[in-house]
Amino acid sequence: MNNNTHHERMAKMIFASVYPLYLTKVEKKGRTKEELLQVIEWLTGFDEVKLLEMIEKRVTFETFFQNAALNPNAHLITGMICGYRIEEIENPLTQKVRYLDKLVDELANGRKMEKILRSA
């Protein structure tokens, strides 16, 4: 698959279709919806009300991140996710989606909240 196709697919994915997968993933590992919401709010600035609005409107990841106030420490999210090194992803939107994936993974894997919410 060429990179443009991959980036297009990421941009057009509906956040509401991915959110329940995030929730299932973290709850299966003993984490809570509240913790997931905290992680998403840290990254995007969306509180639960705003997040539910985005889910209800069935926005794409592109719209989701266009409306987000990305945390200034988001660049501290590094490492591998889905076979990609996050800090080397050149497409800004794809990188933001992978930031979120990585935070959800860390939460599911039992990482301490203060480590997940990188405070520099």
Side-chain angles (χ1 to χ4, degrees):
M1 166 175 19
N2 84 32
N3 263 353
N4 287 342
T5 308
H6 175 73
H7 296 311
E8 269 302 299
R9 203 168 47 87
M10 297 289 275
K12 301 300 175 222
M13 234 182 329
I14 303 293
F15 177 76
S17 64
V18 178
Y19 176 76
L21 304 176
Y22 289 155
L23 187 56
T24 300
K25 182 176 195 164
V26 301
E27 286 181 339
K28 258 198 232 173
K29 300 287 189 150
R31 301 305 284 258
T32 65
K33 177 183 178 180
E34 289 68 32
E35 288 175 308
L36 177 60
L37 293 172
Q38 187 182 351
V39 164
I40 294 172
E41 184 170 354
W42 177 86
L43 181 64
T44 64
F46 298 142
D47 61 12
E48 187 174 6
V49 172
K50 183 67 176 168
L51 191 65
L52 290 174
E53 187 184 303
M54 300 293 243
I55 290 169
E56 219 170 84
K57 288 182 177 173
R58 298 195 54 79
V59 300
T60 61
F61 266 113
E62 186 170 35
T63 302
F64 182 82
F65 279 108
Q66 279 172 350
N67 287 283
L70 202 68
N71 189 297
N73 286 335
H75 69 279
L76 298 174
I77 303 167
T78 58
M80 296 294 286
I81 188 82
C82 302
Y84 297 94
R85 181 155 288 289
I86 294 173
E87 56 274 27
E88 293 173 2
I89 298 172
E90 290 180 11
N91 181 286
L93 176 63
T94 301
Q95 188 176 51
K96 290 171 191 169
V97 173
R98 294 306 185 194
Y99 282 160
L100 183 54
D101 289 344
K102 182 71 172 176
L103 294 179
V104 171
D105 265 14
E106 290 178 352
L107 184 62
N109 290 332
R111 193 159 195 217
K112 286 184 164 63
M113 193 56 87
E114 57 270 19
K115 296 275 191 209
I116 298 170
L117 309 181
R118 290 147 171 89
S119 53

